[in-house]
PDB file of all heavy atoms in Angstrom:
ATOM      1  N   GLU C  36      13.187   9.994  15.095  1.00 70.00           N
ATOM      2  CA  GLU C  36      12.800   8.604  15.354  1.00 70.00           C
ATOM      3  C   GLU C  36      13.751   7.934  16.334  1.00 70.00           C
ATOM      4  O   GLU C  36      13.674   6.742  16.551  1.00 70.00           O
ATOM      5  CB  GLU C  36      12.776   7.810  14.055  1.00 70.00           C
ATOM      6  CG  GLU C  36      11.684   8.224  13.124  1.00 70.00           C
ATOM      7  CD  GLU C  36      11.618   7.342  11.895  1.00 70.00           C
ATOM      8  OE1 GLU C  36      12.064   6.177  11.939  1.00 70.00           O
ATOM      9  OE2 GLU C  36      11.130   7.817  10.880  1.00 70.00           O
ATOM     10  N   ASP C  37      14.633   8.671  16.941  1.00 67.00           N
ATOM     11  CA  ASP C  37      15.605   8.112  17.872  1.00 67.00           C
ATOM     12  C   ASP C  37      14.897   7.644  19.132  1.00 67.00           C
ATOM     13  O   ASP C  37      14.542   8.437  19.991  1.00 67.00           O
ATOM     14  CB  ASP C  37      16.660   9.163  18.212  1.00 67.00           C
ATOM     15  CG  ASP C  37      17.797   8.596  19.034  1.00 67.00           C
ATOM     16  OD1 ASP C  37      17.760   7.391  19.366  1.00 67.00           O
ATOM     17  OD2 ASP C  37      18.731   9.356  19.339  1.00 67.00           O
ATOM     18  N   GLU C  38      14.696   6.352  19.248  1.00 52.00           N
ATOM     19  CA  GLU C  38      13.951   5.788  20.372  1.00 52.00           C
ATOM     20  C   GLU C  38      14.733   5.880  21.682  1.00 52.00           C
ATOM     21  O   GLU C  38      14.168   5.732  22.749  1.00 52.00           O
ATOM     22  CB  GLU C  38      13.587   4.335  20.089  1.00 52.00           C
ATOM     23  CG  GLU C  38      12.629   4.198  18.928  1.00 52.00           C
ATOM     24  CD  GLU C  38      12.259   2.758  18.671  1.00 52.00           C
ATOM     25  OE1 GLU C  38      12.211   1.977  19.628  1.00 52.00           O
ATOM     26  OE2 GLU C  38      12.023   2.418  17.516  1.00 52.00           O
ATOM     27  N   ARG C  39      16.022   6.132  21.631  1.00 50.00           N
ATOM     28  CA  ARG C  39      16.810   6.206  22.852  1.00 50.00           C
ATOM     29  C   ARG C  39      16.447   7.431  23.685  1.00 50.00           C
ATOM     30  O   ARG C  39      16.655   7.458  24.867  1.00 50.00           O
ATOM     31  CB  ARG C  39      18.304   6.245  22.517  1.00 50.00           C
ATOM     32  CG  ARG C  39      18.787   4.943  21.894  1.00 50.00           C
ATOM     33  CD  ARG C  39      20.179   5.086  21.405  1.00 50.00           C
ATOM     34  NE  ARG C  39      20.148   6.069  20.314  1.00 50.00           N
ATOM     35  CZ  ARG C  39      21.226   6.610  19.777  1.00 50.00           C
ATOM     36  NH1 ARG C  39      22.412   6.328  20.230  1.00 50.00           N
ATOM     37  NH2 ARG C  39      21.122   7.465  18.785  1.00 50.00           N
ATOM     38  N   VAL C  40      15.896   8.456  23.055  1.00 56.00           N
ATOM     39  CA  VAL C  40      15.583   9.688  23.770  1.00 56.00           C
ATOM     40  C   VAL C  40      14.504   9.454  24.811  1.00 56.00           C
ATOM     41  O   VAL C  40      14.666   9.779  25.972  1.00 56.00           O
ATOM     42  CB  VAL C  40      15.164  10.804  22.786  1.00 56.00           C
ATOM     43  CG1 VAL C  40      14.681  12.024  23.532  1.00 56.00           C
ATOM     44  CG2 VAL C  40      16.314  11.152  21.864  1.00 56.00           C
ATOM     45  N   GLY C  41      13.371   8.891  24.412  1.00 61.00           N
ATOM     46  CA  GLY C  41      12.293   8.707  25.380  1.00 61.00           C
ATOM     47  C   GLY C  41      11.522   7.431  25.168  1.00 61.00           C
ATOM     48  O   GLY C  41      10.662   7.092  25.952  1.00 61.00           O
ATOM     49  N   GLY C  42      11.791   6.756  24.095  1.00 65.00           N
ATOM     50  CA  GLY C  42      11.142   5.491  23.832  1.00 65.00           C
ATOM     51  C   GLY C  42       9.730   5.621  23.310  1.00 65.00           C
ATOM     52  O   GLY C  42       9.216   6.701  23.061  1.00 65.00           O
ATOM     53  N   ILE C  43       9.105   4.476  23.141  1.00 64.00           N
ATOM     54  CA  ILE C  43       7.763   4.384  22.583  1.00 64.00           C
ATOM     55  C   ILE C  43       6.744   5.101  23.462  1.00 64.00           C
ATOM     56  O   ILE C  43       5.791   5.676  22.967  1.00 64.00           O
ATOM     57  CB  ILE C  43       7.368   2.896  22.382  1.00 64.00           C
ATOM     58  CG1 ILE C  43       8.265   2.253  21.325  1.00 64.00           C
ATOM     59  CG2 ILE C  43       5.911   2.754  21.994  1.00 64.00           C
ATOM     60  CD1 ILE C  43       8.150   2.822  19.935  1.00 64.00           C
ATOM     61  N   ARG C  44       6.934   5.125  24.779  1.00 69.00           N
ATOM     62  CA  ARG C  44       5.986   5.817  25.659  1.00 69.00           C
ATOM     63  C   ARG C  44       5.914   7.303  25.340  1.00 69.00           C
ATOM     64  O   ARG C  44       4.836   7.884  25.316  1.00 69.00           O
ATOM     65  CB  ARG C  44       6.364   5.627  27.120  1.00 69.00           C
ATOM     66  CG  ARG C  44       6.098   4.248  27.624  1.00 69.00           C
ATOM     67  CD  ARG C  44       6.398   4.148  29.087  1.00 69.00           C
ATOM     68  NE  ARG C  44       6.296   2.775  29.526  1.00 69.00           N
ATOM     69  CZ  ARG C  44       6.682   2.358  30.695  1.00 69.00           C
ATOM     70  NH1 ARG C  44       7.198   3.199  31.563  1.00 69.00           N
ATOM     71  NH2 ARG C  44       6.553   1.091  31.018  1.00 69.00           N
ATOM     72  N   ASP C  45       7.075   7.929  25.130  1.00 84.00           N
ATOM     73  CA  ASP C  45       7.087   9.356  24.783  1.00 84.00           C
ATOM     74  C   ASP C  45       6.473   9.589  23.409  1.00 84.00           C
ATOM     75  O   ASP C  45       5.806  10.588  23.188  1.00 84.00           O
ATOM     76  CB  ASP C  45       8.501   9.927  24.830  1.00 84.00           C
ATOM     77  CG  ASP C  45       8.985  10.171  26.249  1.00 84.00           C
ATOM     78  OD1 ASP C  45       8.165  10.076  27.186  1.00 84.00           O
ATOM     79  OD2 ASP C  45      10.182  10.454  26.422  1.00 84.00           O
ATOM     80  N   ILE C  46       6.700   8.655  22.490  1.00 86.00           N
ATOM     81  CA  ILE C  46       6.106   8.775  21.157  1.00 86.00           C
ATOM     82  C   ILE C  46       4.584   8.692  21.274  1.00 86.00           C
ATOM     83  O   ILE C  46       3.866   9.472  20.654  1.00 86.00           O
ATOM     84  CB  ILE C  46       6.663   7.691  20.212  1.00 86.00           C
ATOM     85  CG1 ILE C  46       8.143   7.980  19.920  1.00 86.00           C
ATOM     86  CG2 ILE C  46       5.851   7.621  18.917  1.00 86.00           C
ATOM     87  CD1 ILE C  46       8.861   6.870  19.203  1.00 86.00           C
ATOM     88  N   ALA C  47       4.095   7.784  22.084  1.00 87.00           N
ATOM     89  CA  ALA C  47       2.645   7.648  22.272  1.00 87.00           C
ATOM     90  C   ALA C  47       2.059   8.900  22.924  1.00 87.00           C
ATOM     91  O   ALA C  47       0.979   9.354  22.538  1.00 87.00           O
ATOM     92  CB  ALA C  47       2.336   6.401  23.108  1.00 87.00           C
ATOM     93  N   ALA C  48       2.753   9.471  23.879  1.00 89.00           N
ATOM     94  CA  ALA C  48       2.276  10.701  24.537  1.00 89.00           C
ATOM     95  C   ALA C  48       2.209  11.836  23.520  1.00 89.00           C
ATOM     96  O   ALA C  48       1.227  12.587  23.486  1.00 89.00           O
ATOM     97  CB  ALA C  48       3.187  11.069  25.695  1.00 89.00           C
ATOM     98  N   MET C  49       3.243  11.955  22.696  1.00 90.00           N
ATOM     99  CA  MET C  49       3.259  12.983  21.659  1.00 90.00           C
ATOM    100  C   MET C  49       2.123  12.746  20.658  1.00 90.00           C
ATOM    101  O   MET C  49       1.442  13.680  20.243  1.00 90.00           O
ATOM    102  CB  MET C  49       4.612  12.971  20.934  1.00 90.00           C
ATOM    103  CG  MET C  49       4.763  14.045  19.887  1.00 90.00           C
ATOM    104  SD  MET C  49       4.769  13.556  18.134  1.00 90.00           S
ATOM    105  CE  MET C  49       5.003  11.842  18.034  1.00 90.00           C
ATOM    106  N   ALA C  50       1.882  11.489  20.310  1.00 92.00           N
ATOM    107  CA  ALA C  50       0.822  11.158  19.352  1.00 92.00           C
ATOM    108  C   ALA C  50      -0.553  11.515  19.898  1.00 92.00           C
ATOM    109  O   ALA C  50      -1.414  11.988  19.151  1.00 92.00           O
ATOM    110  CB  ALA C  50       0.889   9.679  18.992  1.00 92.00           C
ATOM    111  N   ARG C  51      -0.775  11.305  21.193  1.00 94.00           N
ATOM    112  CA  ARG C  51      -2.065  11.668  21.793  1.00 94.00           C
ATOM    113  C   ARG C  51      -2.305  13.175  21.680  1.00 94.00           C
ATOM    114  O   ARG C  51      -3.414  13.621  21.387  1.00 94.00           O
ATOM    115  CB  ARG C  51      -2.135  11.213  23.254  1.00 94.00           C
ATOM    116  CG  ARG C  51      -2.364   9.722  23.402  1.00 94.00           C
ATOM    117  CD  ARG C  51      -2.656   9.326  24.835  1.00 94.00           C
ATOM    118  NE  ARG C  51      -1.542   9.548  25.744  1.00 94.00           N
ATOM    119  CZ  ARG C  51      -0.513   8.712  25.904  1.00 94.00           C
ATOM    120  NH1 ARG C  51      -0.473   7.586  25.216  1.00 94.00           N
ATOM    121  NH2 ARG C  51       0.447   8.988  26.761  1.00 94.00           N
ATOM    122  N   ILE C  52      -1.262  13.946  21.876  1.00 94.00           N
ATOM    123  CA  ILE C  52      -1.384  15.406  21.735  1.00 94.00           C
ATOM    124  C   ILE C  52      -1.668  15.762  20.282  1.00 94.00           C
ATOM    125  O   ILE C  52      -2.542  16.581  19.992  1.00 94.00           O
ATOM    126  CB  ILE C  52      -0.115  16.111  22.246  1.00 94.00           C
ATOM    127  CG1 ILE C  52      -0.017  15.942  23.752  1.00 94.00           C
ATOM    128  CG2 ILE C  52      -0.120  17.590  21.860  1.00 94.00           C
ATOM    129  CD1 ILE C  52       1.309  16.349  24.350  1.00 94.00           C
TER     130      ILE C  52
END
Side-chain angles (χ1 to χ4, degrees):
E36 292 185 25
D37 187 359
E38 295 181 32
R39 293 172 295 169
V40 173
I43 295 296
R44 288 184 187 170
D45 284 350
I46 291 170
M49 183 251 345
R51 284 189 295 278
I52 292 169

